[in-house]
Amino acid sequence: VVTFIAYALYHASRKPPSIVKSVLNPDQESISQGARGWAPFDGEDGTRVIGMCDFAFLASYSIGMFFSGHIGDRMDLRKFLTFGMIMSGAWVSMFGMGFYLNIHSVWYYVGVQMVAGVFQSTGWPSVVSVVGNWFGKGKRGLVMGVWNSHTSIGNMLGSVLAASALRNSNWG
């Protein structure tokens, strides 16, 4: 149950940057209704800037997965997973802090997404290792299949929470 919740929360924490994209770089209809966007995302190259942030996250996440698996095999998984979760949450929060700190630098957001991707990569190797060690080969397929629903639950939870926060305040 703990690993299920842990990885569901990893997925939930990935959603806020995706949810706020429409506020950061509003479409023409939203602009005509008064939406302003947020520099550096709201300019003519706003879509490219969002793409740079997405690429930074996904590239660092994929490279981090390779190293996280090796590091996780050599550490206490509870400590590694806990550290990864805390740091992942902190760096996802740093994206939103750009609003409160009035940061408009492309490189701030790209850098934050890169570091967030590295810390997000600590989750999967850790929780799969923990769950894989708990169950024998005979039940592992069923258990992993049911347990893997954390992905969808985390994505739904993250979307609902991020959209609710966006509706009730601003994107930061």
Side-chain angles (χ1 to χ4, degrees), residues 7 17 25 39 43 54 60 64-65 68 79 85 87-88 90 115 127 140 142 151 158 161:
Y7 209 67
N25 183 14
D54 288 346
S60 63
M65 288 284 269
S68 290
K79 291 178 182 175
M85 287 184 71
M87 295 306 292
S88 177
V115 177
V127 296
R140 198 174 292 162
L142 173 63
T151 303
L161 291 174

Side-chain angles (χ1 to χ4, degrees), residues 88-156:
S88 177
W91 282 93
V92 168
S93 296
M94 291 301 294
F95 191 94
M97 288 303 296
F99 175 83
Y100 296 103
L101 299 173
N102 200 27
I103 297 173
H104 297 278
S105 168
V106 171
W107 301 113
Y108 170 81
Y109 294 102
V110 168
V112 164
Q113 287 294 83
M114 286 176 70
V115 177
V118 169
F119 286 116
Q120 282 277 326
S121 74
T122 63
W124 184 249
S126 301
V127 296
V128 167
S129 180
V130 169
V131 171
N133 290 332
W134 283 344
F135 300 96
K137 289 183 181 181
K139 292 189 176 190
R140 198 174 292 162
L142 173 63
V143 169
M144 293 296 279
V146 171
W147 175 78
N148 198 40
S149 66
H150 59 64
T151 303
S152 299
I153 290 171
N155 287 337
M156 290 184 290

